[in-house]
Amino acid sequence: MLEIGLTGGIGSGKSTVAALLVERGASLIDADVVVREVQEPGTVVHAAIVQRWGTEVLAADQTLNRRALADRVFGDDVELAALNAIVHPAVADEMFQQRQAFAGTDATVILDIPLLVESGHVGLGGIIVVDVDPEVAVQRLVKFRSFTAGDARARIAQQASRQERLAQADVVIDNSGTLGELVIGVDSAKAWIDALERPPLDQEIKRIGSHSEN
Ligand code: ADP
């Protein structure tokens, strides 16, 4: 298995790039999906969240109201740290399990991890960063994902800076243009992946720290 980290700020276009890489034959492990799985009703993470923030962070069907929870924690370092301490270990465990399912195969596995730069990434074959001006990300989050501009800016401010992310990149995909231009960037990133030396099939998988956007 060759593991490639994919990261970028919220609204940068990571999910779009991930889907394009899957169309080109890669397998995907999406940290945001894992976060949702480990927070489903009946899990210890769900119980711990309700214990701390109460039932007002739940929807009528008992699933987490992620927006309500985000409103409680973003912008408050203590609350955010408390949420991360509940969620991140469970996410790291589940990510590790999912990665292990590919061990010993020749799969190319994309790890879509919003906070990869913040959480550390030992042992990956390379890092792709999707880069866009944060104000363009704000506009897209408002237009396509029903954020308010203020919420989008606050979420971006919680994450690593554009410069910190770029400093970790092996490959940068610029997403300041059209979706058609993004496809061209993804094709060249895929060519870069295909040219990488693949690790031995029996290479040990190292755990990655914490890495969700919540
Ligand atoms: P992320 O996963 O990094 O948060 P997404 O892939 O969800 O970002 O992209 C944010 C939104 O912007 C989505 O609705 C996506 O369809 C849209 N989008 C992404 N790239 C472009 C682009 N180049 N032009 C227009 N819209 C885009």
Side-chain angles (χ1 to χ4, degrees), residues 7-18 30 32 112 114 130 132 136-137 139-145 147 159 174-183 213:
T7 195
I10 184 167
S12 62
K14 281 178 309 298
S15 311
T16 310
V17 168
D30 181 334
D32 274 349
D112 179 345
V130 186
V132 77
V136 174
Q139 286 164 22
R140 289 182 185 153
L141 289 168
V142 169
K143 189 166 176 192
F144 302 116
R145 288 185 29 200
F147 276 74
Q159 301 187 335
D174 170 34
N175 190 20
S176 55
T178 63
L179 284 170
E181 287 165 332
L182 181 62
V183 169
E213 218 163 50

Side-chain angles (χ1 to χ4, degrees), residues 4 8 15 45 63 66 81 85 107 112 122-123 127 134 150-151 154 163 167 173 192 194 208:
I4 303 294
S15 311
V45 170
T63 59
R66 283 161 56 99
D112 179 345
V122 279
I127 307 283
D151 281 348
Q163 288 67 28
I173 300 179
W192 168 78
D194 290 342
I208 303 177

